[in-house]
Amino acid sequence: MQQDLIAQARTWLAEDPDPETRDELAKLIDAEDFDALAARFAGTLQFGTAGLRGELGAGPMRMNRSVVIRAAAGLAAHLNAKGQTGGLVVIGYDARYKSADFARDTAAVMTGAGLRAAVLPRPLPTPVLAYAIRHLGAVAGVEVTASHNPPRDNGYKVYLGDGSQIVPPADGEIADAIAAVGPLAGVDRPESGWEILGDEVLDAYLARTDAVLDAATPRTAQVVYTAMHGVGTSVLTAAFARAGFPTPVLVAEQAEPDPAFPTVAFPNPEEPGAMDLAFATARRANPDIVIANDPDADRCAVAVPDATADGGWRMLRGDEVGALLAAQLVARGATGVFAESIVSSSLLGRIAEKAGNGYEETLTGFKWIARVDGLRYGYEEALGYCVDPDGVRDKDGITAALLVAELASVLKEQGRTLLDLLDDIAVEHGLHATDQLSVRVEDLSVIADAMRRLRDTPPTALAGLAVTSAEDLSEGTEQLPPTDGLRYHLDGARVIVRPSGTEPKLKCYLEVVVPVGSADELPAARAKGAELLAGIKRDLSAAAGI
């Protein structure tokens, strides 16, 4: 068995084009480190609806140039099989370790396969790539990014010509084509022949960002901004300048791209501690709001002054920002379908219904939200917002930031804040209190065991609220295709449990709805909502064995 493992590793080593991973693998072979080799050769990094994402390193279970070349070759074969030979593939990348190498390899493979390839000029936000696909009439796009994952990770996100991420059956077809790729020596990778795009595409994207704003609104909000060591700073500040907003105050320690992400444990605004430097900057600068992007700037986080919060600043939940943007668009007369994933707050449906707009729930991920017919606005609780679906059929942290700054400016002129508008929304539609129970694991079997436990012995009550119905989403519903998840409807609450699609986490999404008759009732409603959420968390943890 061990000799088989060594032989497998030597075969991989012989065709690895990257000196760094060759050196890594050679040292493991020489040291006969069978545990490390087994982890790298336990299978193959699976290509799915999120493309590829994993830890950098040598071997088929890691992100590396060999794996990326195979993925690109499979994608090229898929496109050629669909009759798109000669079509354009646009490639973008972030500032993570190896991202530029993976982008160049992808361009070489596409060129060698008879497709045209164009690479964005430098590390840029993912929404710029999503925009470029439609703007340039491409047949597909690739973004090399691991979004908000730890520094050791990278990923490979695939879009088709409609500008949205792949969904079944395309993901399975591409995975089959990747599996059929033979030795790397047979994958043609010319040294040149692709285009390096200039700033014209970025300029066109920035011109498009203006369209999300109302020309008559004030532009007075003062913003503290952090790019979280990612690629957002130059594009966001350019968009704010074009729109006429005050220049954002940058969180200096996090403003420039740095693949080591030295000031955060996880470069995700939702993670504990990730916003500490932003809040410290805000206490000095005294802005109206704080805005954060994740490293590839497709997500947008918002924080507001709150005297009751530690340090005087509070992060808004993704559901709160989702409701604020929906209310803003409704107030501006936006029409069309408002859509969200099933794990997001049901409040969006109430806002859409009262405004006479359509409403649709989808599976988790913008690959589903972006495909909703007639989409005008879509959001997901994990800080993702699509406010210009005709321009970017994906979440876009730059245009979302512009809309938030516009809303803060409008309210500022009225002597009001985002928190005041949230109060108005709660009085009008009921208090929708949401929370999340998220468990990060080293051993993925912990997640599988928790899901099995909940399926075998589903809870009958949580926090004293009876479970009125339970759905195993792996069987699908009339509205949704199958997915690994469980949904519980309670008397005045809702719970969804699912494994994360991009991280080793079990995620539980909780929502409690408390009726509110007037603003005077809000404090009591919030206290009741918090109490119920805490009780649901406690009881669900016990039921899942986590």
Side-chain angles (χ1 to χ4, degrees), residues 93-305:
Y93 59 104
D94 66 12
R96 284 177 177 267
Y97 295 120
K98 297 290 184 182
S99 286
D101 294 338
F102 295 166
R104 186 186 186 281
D105 283 332
T106 300
V109 171
M110 296 301 159
T111 302
L115 293 143
R116 292 181 294 123
V119 184
L120 293 182
R122 58 186 173 279
L124 288 168
T126 293
V128 177
L129 181 278
Y131 169 81
I133 294 166
R134 288 160 61 86
H135 178 68
L136 297 174
V139 298
V142 171
E143 177 69 17
V144 181
T145 181
S147 188
H148 56 279
N149 276 38
R152 64 180 182 272
D153 289 359
N154 212 329
Y156 198 81
K157 187 182 293 188
V158 176
Y159 298 75
L160 293 182
D162 62 356
S164 53
Q165 298 173 48
I166 54 169
V167 294
D171 59 338
E173 293 168 358
I174 296 170
D176 290 344
I178 293 170
V181 175
L184 290 191
V187 178
D188 188 14
R189 288 181 287 135
E191 291 295 317
S192 62
W194 56 90
E195 180 184 3
I196 304 296
L197 295 166
D199 280 346
E200 295 83 4
V201 170
L202 176 59
D203 291 343
Y205 167 82
L206 286 169
R208 177 86 199 183
T209 63
D210 297 349
V212 306
L213 302 174
D214 184 332
T217 52
R219 310 286 163 86
T220 56
Q222 298 282 341
V223 173
V224 159
Y225 170 73
T226 176
M228 207 67 67
H229 298 296
V231 297
T233 295
S234 63
V235 178
L236 182 131
T237 53
F240 270 55
R242 288 181 62 100
F245 286 104
T247 302
V249 176
L250 302 182
V251 179
E253 302 93 330
Q254 299 174 334
E256 296 302 318
D258 187 337
F261 303 105
T263 68
V264 290
F266 291 94
N268 178 356
E270 293 179 294
E271 292 284 348
M275 294 291 287
D276 286 355
L277 285 171
F279 292 158
T281 304
R283 285 189 286 273
R284 294 192 299 270
N286 196 29
D288 297 301
I289 54 174
V290 172
I291 288 176
N293 287 140
D294 66 338
D296 68 327
D298 62 353
R299 289 175 168 83
C300 177
V302 181
V304 295

Side-chain angles (χ1 to χ4, degrees), residues 472-528:
D472 188 339
L473 299 176
S474 66
E475 300 171 1
T477 71
E478 287 186 14
Q479 294 79 29
L480 301 170
T483 187
D484 187 10
L486 300 164
R487 179 162 59 180
Y488 304 107
H489 294 281
L490 295 85
D491 187 13
R494 183 213 65 196
V495 173
I496 294 174
V497 183
R498 59 178 283 273
S500 170
T502 57
E503 297 178 273
K505 284 182 175 181
L506 181 68
K507 290 188 168 185
C508 310
Y509 304 85
L510 324 175
E511 179 177 47
V512 172
V513 182
V514 182
V516 180
S518 68
D520 293 339
E521 297 177 16
L522 277 172
R526 287 203 170 91
K528 181 179 180 182

Side-chain angles (χ1 to χ4, degrees), residues 412-433:
K412 184 178 182 179
E413 296 298 302
Q414 300 169 356
R416 286 159 43 83
T417 67
L418 297 179
L419 293 180
D420 293 327
L421 182 54
L422 284 172
D423 286 351
D424 293 348
I425 293 170
V427 171
E428 185 174 2
H429 300 286
L431 177 72
H432 289 62

